[in-house]
Amino acid sequence: DTAVSQTPKYLVTQMGNDKSIKCEQNLGHDTMYWYKQDSKKFLKIMFSYNNKELIINETVPNRFSPKSPDKAHLNLHINSLELGDSAVYFCASSQEMDITEAFFGQGTRLTVV
Amino acid sequence: LAKTTQPISMDSYEGQEVNITCSHNNIATNDYITWYQQFPSQGPRFIIQGYKTKVTNEVASLFIPADRKSSTLSLPRVSLSDTAVYYCLVGDMNSGNTPLVFGKGTRLSVIA
């Protein structure tokens, strides 16, 4: 069983569209994250949720909206997609929000054309 | 969060031991040192974590000197499959509000 799974793995869409990326973890963890890895391979945190509550919201455009329907899911919805949104988005989870062992999904490669 | 500095890239031949050093001069008393590995087209994977002296697991060893201002990840007898980016992270694992903050990492290329 995959610990942290993201769907879709690849997403190609046109500018201006709205898209969602789904994430599920079956590890029973309390904390989930979204990270963005750009073309230069910098991995930056976007959001962090703990027990369905938003804990961290880094400087991310309002077009990005995370939603956590339950502890095991953290979805990322993006409105009005722009070319600069093209990146690989990683979902991750950990038992608590601290530097401990976090488990990452395989990533979703988003390409905006 | 303590800033970390690592070499941007390293090359090694198969079978050699690889040591990647990370500087973290401003490490705080409660900070732990954690290393992650990221293969191409995959998410980062936890390798090892330590506070001081030496930690060893089935994947790597982590050496931390007494002043804790640096740490060295040691990969014994690397193979081609160890080609990846290795990230050094430093932070308080008991704060309850510190997410993982990744630096630029070290890109290790293992050559046959």
Side-chain angles (χ1 to χ4, degrees), chain B residues 20-46:
Chain B
I20 306 174
T21 298
C22 178
S23 297
H24 27 79
N25 291 321
N26 297 324
I27 190 168
T29 303
N30 293 333
D31 286 346
Y32 279 70
I33 301 155
T34 308
W35 285 79
Y36 277 75
Q37 173 191 55
Q38 185 177 22
F39 295 116
S41 302
Q42 293 188 26
R45 181 177 76 113
F46 174 93

Side-chain angles (χ1 to χ4, degrees), chain A residues 47-83:
Chain A
F47 301 102
S48 172
Y49 267 73
N50 185 264
N51 277 320
K52 302 194 300 176
E53 289 189 22
L54 179 64
I55 303 299
I56 290 176
N57 182 353
E58 292 296 315
T59 307
V60 177
N62 291 336
R63 300 180 294 103
F64 290 80
S65 54
K67 286 197 169 45
S68 181
D70 56 58
K71 220 169 64 165
H73 296 84
L74 181 62
N75 303 323
L76 183 64
H77 188 75
I78 314 170
N79 290 327
S80 304
L81 278 157
E82 301 176 356
L83 293 177

Side-chain angles (χ1 to χ4, degrees), chain A residues 35 37 56 98-100 102, chain B residues 34 36 38 49 93 98-100:
Chain A
Y35 281 81
Q37 189 165 43
I56 290 176
D98 51 31
I99 291 193
T100 183
Chain B
T34 308
Y36 277 75
Q38 185 177 22
Q49 183 179 75
M93 65 176 287
T98 305
L100 298 172

